[in-house]
Amino acid sequence: MKTVYCLAFALAIAACSAPQEDGETAAAGGYDAENLATSQACFADTPSAHLEPGQTLIERGPSGMVLVSHARGGAPADYAFNIVSLPEAQRQQIDAAAADFFRAAGELYDVNTDAVIYHRSRDGAFCAVVRDDAAGQALVDAAEAVDAARPETTDE
């Protein structure tokens, strides 16, 4: 009798765990738990070297650093800002652009594509990579303006 119960239990588990064939499974495409979109640019020393053409990246974390990188047009670039040391006007400019970038990334995010890639490190730093021209260009424009407004310093 125990064998009958064990066999029924095993059949029930097998039936519940079998793959479901429906429209949602077919639409999932190439991105699933075994094949997630990733970006080697996140948390790299030179993120722009790892970005694909057209991508823009932002990293923010508990260290107070904001990194903006892009591989747009012919001149990829990386910008690093210590947010607490920026003058208030520049801090507001980069914070507003970052907020708009994150908002656009949230609207564009789709698990079936790699249009937006998110990563979080163990220390709490957060990285987002977006392939949208409008969202990326607005963040790059703000980073370039804040970078240009910084006073020149020499380390020599």
Side-chain angles (χ1 to χ4, degrees):
M1 191 66 165
K2 289 181 185 177
T3 306
V4 172
Y5 289 132
C6 288
L7 182 58
F9 182 70
L11 289 173
I13 289 176
C16 291
S17 63
Q20 301 294 319
E21 296 297 326
D22 63 1
E24 289 183 37
T25 303
Y31 300 96
D32 59 26
E34 284 77 41
N35 186 24
L36 298 173
T38 62
S39 176
Q40 299 302 316
C42 287
F43 314 117
D45 290 334
T46 309
S48 64
H50 301 281
L51 291 172
E52 296 175 11
Q55 289 182 325
T56 305
L57 170 146
I58 188 169
E59 284 181 28
R60 293 191 78 138
S63 67
M65 293 300 294
V66 174
L67 303 173
V68 176
S69 298
H70 71 90
R72 305 170 52 77
D78 299 289
Y79 303 96
F81 306 105
N82 183 340
I83 201 75
V84 297
S85 68
L86 288 176
E88 185 63 27
Q90 293 172 342
R91 182 180 317 134
Q92 287 181 2
Q93 184 177 12
I94 201 70
D95 280 344
D100 290 343
F101 184 80
F102 284 125
R103 197 171 5 267
E107 292 171 3
L108 295 167
Y109 182 75
D110 179 353
V111 297
N112 297 319
T113 72
D114 65 350
V116 178
I117 301 169
Y118 294 117
H119 289 287
R120 183 171 296 282
S121 69
R122 290 180 186 246
D123 71 352
F126 186 71
C127 174
V129 179
V130 174
R131 190 184 303 274
D132 181 74
D133 285 335
Q137 191 61 53
L139 180 62
V140 169
D141 289 346
E144 288 174 349
V146 170
D147 188 60
R150 287 198 284 195
E152 290 294 320
T153 59
T154 59
D155 295 330
E156 298 172 40

